[in-house]
């Protein structure tokens, strides 16, 4: 019985790690800030916070990592409970999102960024990816970390 459990464990570990998405190198300059400095009132006028709002269904099996491209320029990888702040000019942008859940889940989103745009939430879903302009910081934002350039 112990041998069967050990065999199952050995087979299950690679299965969970197989969905790990390799990060892409960012070509953007992040607006660096400490978490204490992030204030919704200071965002906008081009400064936009982008965060990964993945839920427990994706974080449990390592499928919550999102590679992001904006106008075909790699932003990099934003992991669950991470955020980045970028400075945008007011215009329309094409976001491409990719996560792996046994297969590549790609999606494209056209986003109109203006001076009132403050917060964009991105997250993987069961069948694709979601992007939404929320203009609100996520719940428990104090637990979020600034995305690293990888």
């Amino acid at each position: 019985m112990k041998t069967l459990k050990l065999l199952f464990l050995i087979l299950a570990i690679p299965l969970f790690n197989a969905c790990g998405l390799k990060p892409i190198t960012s070509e953007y300059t992040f607006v660096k800030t400490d978490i204490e400095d992030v204030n919704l009132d200071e965002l906008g006028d081009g400064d936009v916070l982008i965060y990964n709002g993945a839920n427990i269904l994706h974080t449990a099996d390592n499928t919550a990592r999102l590679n992001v491209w904006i106008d075909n320029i790699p932003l990099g990888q934003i992991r669950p409970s991470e955020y980045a702040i970028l400075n945008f000019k007011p215009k329309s942008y094409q976001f491409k999102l990719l996560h792996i859940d046994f297969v590549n889940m790609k999606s494209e989103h056209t986003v109109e960024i203006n001076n009132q745009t403050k917060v964009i939430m991105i997250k993987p879903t069961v069948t694709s990816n979601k992007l939404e302009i929320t203009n609100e910081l996520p719940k428990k934002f104090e637990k979020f970390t600034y995305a690293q350039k990888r």
Side-chain angles (χ1 to χ4, degrees):
M1 188 64 166
K2 285 184 181 182
T3 308
L4 187 60
K5 286 182 183 180
L6 183 62
L7 181 62
F8 177 74
L9 183 63
I10 289 171
L11 293 174
I13 289 173
L15 180 64
F16 285 118
N17 288 328
C19 296
L21 179 65
K22 294 185 185 201
I24 56 173
T25 304
S26 178
E27 293 182 22
Y28 278 89
T29 302
F30 291 2
V31 177
K32 185 61 177 147
T33 184
D34 292 326
I35 192 136
E36 293 84 23
D37 296 338
V38 177
N39 184 341
L40 196 58
D41 296 331
E42 293 175 3
L43 295 171
D45 292 326
D47 289 336
V48 178
L49 183 141
I50 301 170
Y51 73 93
N52 185 336
N55 59 28
I56 191 72
L57 295 175
H58 288 283
T59 56
D61 65 356
N62 203 21
T63 60
R65 299 174 184 184
L66 282 167
N67 283 351
V68 181
W69 293 263
I70 303 172
D71 288 344
N72 291 320
I73 300 172
L75 169 63
Q77 186 175 89
I78 300 182
R79 294 180 178 180
S81 298
E82 283 189 343
Y83 70 94
I85 298 175
L86 298 173
N87 189 276
F88 292 95
K89 291 183 169 62
K91 70 172 199 165
S92 183
Y93 291 88
Q94 188 70 28
F95 280 68
K96 291 183 185 176
L97 306 175
L98 167 71
H99 85 275
I100 296 179
D101 197 349
F102 294 110
V103 297
N104 287 345
M105 301 282 194
K106 294 180 184 178
S107 63
E108 293 189 21
H109 310 266
T110 302
V111 178
E112 188 68 38
I113 294 184
N114 57 36
N115 289 332
Q116 287 74 41
T117 306
K118 296 181 177 191
V119 179
I120 296 175
M121 184 266 307
I122 58 174
K123 71 177 189 177
T125 64
V126 174
T127 58
S128 184
N129 303 295
K130 181 177 181 179
L131 183 146
E132 181 180 352
I133 297 175
T134 64
N135 288 336
E136 295 178 356
L137 293 176
K139 293 178 182 175
K140 299 183 182 180
F141 185 67
E142 65 278 358
K143 294 185 179 184
F144 279 64
T145 58
Y146 203 81
Q148 304 268 327
K149 279 196 171 187
R150 295 176 176 86

